[in-house]
Amino acid sequence: MQRISAAIAKRLLWWGTWAIIGVLVLNAAVGLWMQSQHLVLNDSTCEPVGLYQLLGSPYPLHDGELVEVGIPGPAHHTAVAEGLKYHWFPAGQPWIKKIAAVPGQTVRLTRSGVWVDGHTLPNSRVDRWTPGHHHQIVHYPFGTYHLQRGQVWLYAPGNYAFDSSYYGPVQETSILQRAVSWWTIPGSQFWLQKGD
């Protein structure tokens, strides 16, 4: 009986080892394929969850375009520092956002939402608390902002989207690449339900 148990344990160990190796090889193959296709995974609910294809240089920038953005410097953006402190997003991982406004456009930020040149952005109400009311959220001061040269206002339509409503305009140099939706889960940006 002991001999049979030892043989079964040895076989399970052998199969387990090969299963782990298989998963690692598959993971590496998928990663290389995604890299060759210029695909990135967005797992936040700022934009629909899924794969986005990066298309290279984003310049010249236009409002309404989807872009990959480097995380703004936490030293200049209190909300970004707060987000990194509480692990709301991983440090160093770029974001997928929309450009809502470029230099020369006017943004009005209020508790009830964001207006760009007089047009409201859907689902742009500024949230006071994180889901579950665990932390109060720092937001950019309410007011009207005329974007200067080199500034862009970022927007994401999802519930609890972390965009310029919280950290303000960012420098154009933060925009890394133009992006397009490649395969996403429609409506997934609304999975987190907003509280009061």
Side-chain angles (χ1 to χ4, degrees), residues 106-125:
T106 300
V107 176
R108 186 164 63 94
L109 176 64
T110 69
R111 170 76 63 204
S112 61
V114 179
W115 283 259
V116 175
D117 292 339
H119 302 285
T120 186
L121 299 179
N123 204 33
S124 61
R125 178 175 61 101

Side-chain angles (χ1 to χ4, degrees), residues 3 7 13 17 24 27 31 33 48 60 63 65 79-80 90 101 105 114 116 134 141 147 151 155 164 170 173-174 177:
R3 191 182 248 178
L13 180 63
T17 301
L24 292 173
N27 188 45
W33 173 78
D63 60 335
E65 287 184 322
V80 173
Q105 291 186 287
V114 179
V116 175
H134 296 293
L147 295 192
Q151 292 183 319
Y155 163 68
S164 286
V170 300
T173 53
S174 298
Q177 298 191 61

Side-chain angles (χ1 to χ4, degrees), residues 82 86 88 127-137 160 195:
E82 179 186 51
Y86 292 115
W88 296 342
D127 295 300
R128 299 176 187 192
W129 296 91
T130 59
H133 285 252
H134 296 293
H135 300 284
Q136 194 163 9
I137 303 173
Y160 293 103

Side-chain angles (χ1 to χ4, degrees), residues 59-97:
Y59 301 102
L61 300 177
H62 302 285
D63 60 335
E65 287 184 322
L66 203 58
V67 291
E68 181 189 42
V69 184
I71 294 176
H76 301 1
H77 300 278
T78 307
V80 173
E82 179 186 51
L84 289 168
K85 176 183 175 184
Y86 292 115
H87 308 289
W88 296 342
F89 45 84
Q93 180 179 320
W95 298 333
I96 300 293
K97 306 284 184 199

Side-chain angles (χ1 to χ4, degrees), residues 9-37:
K10 187 174 181 182
R11 185 169 287 173
L12 288 175
L13 180 63
W14 187 83
W15 280 107
T17 301
W18 279 106
I20 290 170
I21 290 171
V23 167
L24 292 173
V25 168
L26 180 62
N27 188 45
V30 168
L32 287 172
W33 173 78
M34 285 179 61
Q35 189 176 22
S36 73
Q37 299 299 311

